[in-house]
Amino acid sequence: MRIVLAALLALAAVQARAQPLPYQEHAMNLGVVNCANSLCHGSISRWKDSDILQNEYITWSRVDKHATRAYQALLTERSKRIARNLGLREPPEKAKLCLDCHAYDPPPELRGERFKVTDGVSCEACHGPAEHWIKSHVAPGATHEDNLAHGLYPTSNPVAQARLCLSCHFGNKDKFVTHRMMGAGHPRMSFELATFEQTEPPHFVIDDDWHRRKGSWDTARVWAIGQALAASQLLDVLLDPKRSHDGLFPELVVFDCHACHHPMSDKRWTPLSGVSPGRVRLNDSSLLMLRQIVRRMLPEADARSYDERLVALRRAVAGDGGDPLDAARAMRTLLDRVAGQLVTRSFLPADLRAMLAGMVQDGLDGDYHDYAGAEQATMAIAGLLDYLGRHGGLADFRGANDALDRVYDAVRDDEKFSPARFQAALDGLRKTVIR
Ligand code: HEC
Ligand code: HEC
Ligand code: HEC
Ligand code: HEC
């Protein structure tokens, strides 16, 4: 039974990778008004006898930045400046380049009468065009499987969810924030699935009936799969002949931003980086998180080949030996396998504790010397501590929180990041949490 279940879950992971994203579907988009009725998802307060909250629209429209900010951001002076600097012909709120991420932007023939692009990142941007599931999802006895069969996007599947969020929070082959756009004024992108899912804030509750209707959900697994997919998306840029270059230069967003953007007097190179001095380092922050995950959750042979491929990739990208495309391809193949395997794994408290200890140790060993790694490690450590705290796995809760605050302080400003200060904060955390 367990083997059959594992095989089914692995199959679901493969399907989730092939699943078209909402904007790739050929079905009509009806618009947010169709979801917002007070008897549907626009109730002011949560319904007691319903499986779902029914106030999703209220949460989304009042406090979710996808509604309150994503589109509005395009009307700001900053966006006008970005568009000017890029030489766009239209204003940003009309430019497909921007709307594809700052709103939901299906082609005109797939927009219903009441669809409004100004609604921002709307329900259908994540749950898929409603044409075929709007009726069936309220039919008596309708199941989640029925809804999925009618084209509801499987946000309940962690691989599908990670691909969805990352399609805008990192970009994919269809939409992408390049270094050129950042040079024009677009902010640096930073994302971690489990953390962002909590801060959105969620308009759903993962409880017993959720599990009954939709299967298992595990925040640690969501984090792990989010990292695997984020690393895959980065490698996809390296491997995509269209996106990997801009003129003579490689596309710079796949590298560590602060490898270039720091004063010359601030000497940062150490032999620990694994590449020779004066090289531009790959942004390997997700790959570093995954290293801990793979070590704990997968067989030893996988963990060994993961470590080898990571070293090979870093060196090849920096020009220290080996073909970078071969190295990226080898890692990319392994990541697909890792994501497939993670979908079937349960993360136990002992696993989380071991990953936390491993991450703190990696940090003390200097592995998060680059800001992007330190930033990802901080979000991961916060998530793991939160989980352990809620499940009674932390002896000194207040001490851990104080120590975590200092870790946060060390990554608050990427331009003032000091690896030494970050390590000192981690050491404080080690003393309170791991001992
Ligand atoms: C691949 C998706 C993507 C594309 C394309 C994109 N953005 Fe963004 N943009 C984002 C995300 C995600 C954020 C939030 C970044 C964060 O804070 O983590 C953001 C943030 C911003 C911000 C700052 C946020 C704010 O509330 O003020 C501005 C301004 C902005 N984008 C403007 C633009 C403009 C103008 C364009 C078109 C030239 C554009 N973006 C294209 C995804 C995208
Ligand atoms: C940024 C993406 C995103 C947007 C925008 C979004 N959702 Fe969701 N929604 C999710 C995710 C992720 C889940 C959790 C996984 C699941 O239950 O499928 C979810 C879950 C739900 C659930 C199921 C809760 C349960 O217990 O089964 C409902 C209902 C829902 N959303 C309605 C809406 C409505 C209505 C809107 C628009 C007002 C909306 N969502 C906008 C991502 C989004
Ligand atoms: C269609 C594109 C799109 C999709 C899909 C999307 N987002 Fe976003 N998201 C954005 C943009 C654009 C912003 C920036 C809003 C702003 O600050 O201007 C944003 C902002 C956010 C923020 C607020 C960040 C902050 O700095 O406060 C969170 C949290 C977030 N998204 C989580 C998610 C999660 C979780 C998912 C997947 C379930 C997701 N997003 C899917 C486009 C998207
Ligand atoms: C290989 C080195 C390199 C990397 C890596 C790199 N950049 Fe740059 N960046 C440059 C150069 C060169 C310029 C152009 C500087 C100029 O015009 O003065 C630039 C310009 C910029 C600018 C505009 C600054 C200005 O003065 O107009 C921003 C913002 C920026 N980069 C952000 C980023 C972010 C965010 C990342 C990481 C995702 C990144 N860069 C990665 C080399 C790099």
Side-chain angles (χ1 to χ4, degrees), residues 134-215:
I134 185 94
K135 281 214 186 69
S136 61
H137 92 297
V138 292
T143 65
H144 189 50
E145 281 69 32
D146 296 338
N147 297 330
L148 297 179
H150 285 99
L152 186 79
Y153 185 79
T155 44
S156 53
N157 174 309
V159 175
Q161 191 193 127
R163 272 183 64 227
L164 170 70
C165 308
L166 283 164
S167 70
C168 296
H169 283 273
F170 177 73
N172 62 12
K173 64 176 178 32
D174 300 325
K175 40 186 180 174
F176 187 45
V177 176
T178 56
H179 184 260
R180 194 185 277 250
M181 286 162 75
M182 289 177 179
H186 197 281
R188 186 178 71 89
M189 305 281 259
S190 127
F191 187 71
E192 195 278 288
L193 183 56
T195 306
F196 273 57
E197 198 180 63
Q198 283 313 304
T199 48
E200 196 180 336
H203 49 263
F204 52 87
V205 184
I206 308 286
D207 52 10
D208 289 344
D209 85 79
W210 193 98
H211 290 294
R212 186 164 36 70
R213 290 179 287 117
K214 296 184 167 176

Side-chain angles (χ1 to χ4, degrees), residues 80-134:
K80 291 193 174 71
R81 196 176 66 242
I82 298 173
R84 249 192 335 268
N85 290 347
L86 289 171
L88 297 187
R89 273 191 296 265
E90 319 96 317
E93 75 277 14
K94 295 269 188 283
K96 179 169 161 51
L97 181 65
C98 312
L99 286 172
D100 277 352
C101 291
H102 283 266
Y104 183 40
D105 190 28
E109 66 278 12
L110 295 179
R111 296 180 184 191
E113 273 166 31
R114 302 169 84 191
F115 178 90
K116 290 209 312 256
V117 77
T118 53
D119 282 334
V121 180
S122 57
C123 316
E124 287 167 298
C126 290
H127 292 293
E131 180 181 34
H132 301 301
W133 55 261
I134 185 94

Side-chain angles (χ1 to χ4, degrees), residues 327-386:
R329 247 178 251 119
M331 182 53 111
R332 184 71 181 73
T333 315
L334 184 62
L335 287 179
D336 268 352
R337 232 189 44 238
V338 167
Q341 279 173 280
L342 289 175
V343 171
T344 65
R345 291 297 312 258
S346 300
F347 287 65
L348 305 173
D351 296 325
L352 302 187
R353 205 183 293 278
M355 286 191 268
L356 178 65
M359 216 168 269
V360 170
Q361 191 55 51
D362 273 0
L364 293 174
D365 291 344
D367 275 357
Y368 310 137
H369 203 77
D370 287 328
Y371 177 78
E375 180 188 47
Q376 281 297 332
T378 302
M379 289 194 267
I381 288 169
L384 292 169
L385 284 176
D386 176 57

Side-chain angles (χ1 to χ4, degrees), residues 179 181-189 249-261 280-281 283 414:
H179 184 260
M181 286 162 75
M182 289 177 179
H186 197 281
R188 186 178 71 89
M189 305 281 259
F249 267 100
E251 171 54 60
L252 298 180
V253 295
V254 300
F255 297 102
D256 178 53
C257 312
H258 307 90
C260 295
H261 290 285
V280 187
R281 292 182 294 279
N283 174 358
D414 62 340

